[in-house]
Amino acid sequence: MTALALAGLNGSPGFQTSMLRLVAIVTARYNWRNDELTVGQREMARLWSVDERTVKREIKRLTKSEILLQLRPGVRGRVAAYRLNYSEVYRLSAPHWDNVGPDFTARMEVQQPEPEATGEKVVRVDFGARAAEPAAAAAATPDSGPWARTLSRLSQSDPGLHRSWFSGLDFDSFEQGLLLLRAPSAFAAQYVLTHHLRPLQGMAAQEFPGLRRIEITG
C-alpha cells in the first residue's frame, strides 16, 4: 500500500486523483487472500462520491495503464474482478522509495526493475542468477516432471506473475498430499503464500494428484 501511495503522490494531478481512489477501494474492499478486487460500479461510485460514468472512466484508465489487471469482465449480472499489478506499482514507485526512508528501500530492493526485450519495463524479484533457469527449463522441457509442468502452466497463465514470484521456487517433495517447495528467501516464501497461493495451488493440483496443501520454506 505504501508503494501504491508513493506512485500516486509523485504523478500528475489527474493521476494522483486516480491513485487516491484506487488506494481507497483497495483499503476498503481488496480481497488479499484471493488477490482480487470484486466490487460493483455502484458501490465504487458511492465510496468515491462520484457517478457511475466516472467509475467506468476511472477503471478504464487504471486498466489501460496496467496498474489494475482485469481477471474477468462483469457480464450477466456478475461483478468484474481485478488484480493489482504489483510489478507496475513497484516500477512506478521505485524512484521514490527513499522518500519513505532507508528501511523501506531495503525491504523493497528485493524487486529489481529490468527492461524486457519488448522495450517495456517490468519488476522482477531478484532470486539471483538462477532465477530464470526454472522458467527456461519448464518452457524447454514441459514433460520433465510435474513441477516443471506446473511452472510451465503458471508461465502460460500469467507470465509476469510467474517471472516475478514462481520462477524462483524449487521443488522439495510431495508426500501424502503435501507439496513442499523452497523459496530463495523467507520473504518470498511468505509473500507467495499470502498473495499468490490460489493460482499456484490451482496449477499444481493439475500435476500433483491428491494435492491438499502447499508449504514453502525460505
Side-chain angles (χ1 to χ4, degrees):
M1 290 301 297
T2 302
L4 195 66
L6 270 179
L9 289 169
N10 288 277
S12 66
F15 186 69
Q16 288 179 1
T17 299
S18 295
M19 294 299 280
L20 174 61
R21 289 169 174 166
L22 180 59
V23 167
I25 198 68
V26 166
T27 302
R29 297 303 304 274
Y30 202 84
N31 187 328
W32 295 104
R33 180 177 293 276
N34 295 335
D35 195 17
E36 65 179 25
L37 176 67
T38 52
V39 183
Q41 292 181 357
R42 183 176 301 177
E43 190 173 353
M44 286 188 189
R46 185 168 60 249
L47 175 63
W48 292 346
S49 299
V50 298
D51 55 31
E52 292 186 42
R53 182 177 299 178
T54 301
V55 170
K56 291 179 181 179
R57 289 199 301 265
E58 201 67 91
I59 293 298
K60 184 177 181 180
R61 187 179 298 120
L62 290 167
T63 53
K64 186 176 181 179
S65 64
E66 297 187 347
I67 294 171
L68 273 184
L69 304 175
Q70 188 179 72
L71 300 178
R72 59 180 180 271
V75 294
R76 298 179 181 178
R78 188 180 188 186
V79 176
Y82 303 91
R83 174 186 296 154
L84 282 172
N85 185 353
Y86 301 106
S87 294
E88 187 64 9
V89 173
Y90 291 149
R91 184 183 73 81
L92 291 171
S93 65
H96 314 290
W97 291 344
D98 284 341
N99 294 352
V100 179
D103 56 332
F104 182 76
T105 300
R107 294 198 304 271
M108 296 298 288
E109 279 180 346
V110 292
Q111 281 93 27
Q112 299 293 331
E114 292 183 3
E116 290 293 295
T118 59
E120 298 178 355
K121 290 185 177 180
V122 301
V123 175
R124 176 180 297 178
V125 176
D126 185 8
F127 289 136
R130 67 183 183 85
E133 294 176 5
T141 57
D143 296 322
S144 59
W147 178 240
R149 293 194 296 272
T150 298
L151 285 175
S152 181
R153 288 179 182 273
L154 290 165
S155 179
Q156 293 171 19
S157 173
D158 192 329
L161 192 61
H162 169 269
R163 182 169 52 246
S164 296
W165 296 106
F166 299 134
S167 64
L169 299 178
D170 290 327
F171 174 79
D172 192 307
S173 64
F174 179 64
E175 296 179 0
Q176 298 180 346
L178 171 63
L179 174 60
L180 185 59
L181 304 173
R182 294 189 307 273
S185 69
F187 170 82
Q190 186 58 45
Y191 197 93
V192 171
L193 287 172
T194 302
H195 298 289
H196 303 309
L197 181 60
R198 190 179 184 184
L200 173 60
Q201 193 152 14
M203 295 302 179
Q206 299 180 54
E207 300 296 340
F208 293 89
L211 176 66
R212 293 186 295 105
R213 193 169 83 257
I214 294 177
E215 292 184 3
I216 307 175
T217 60

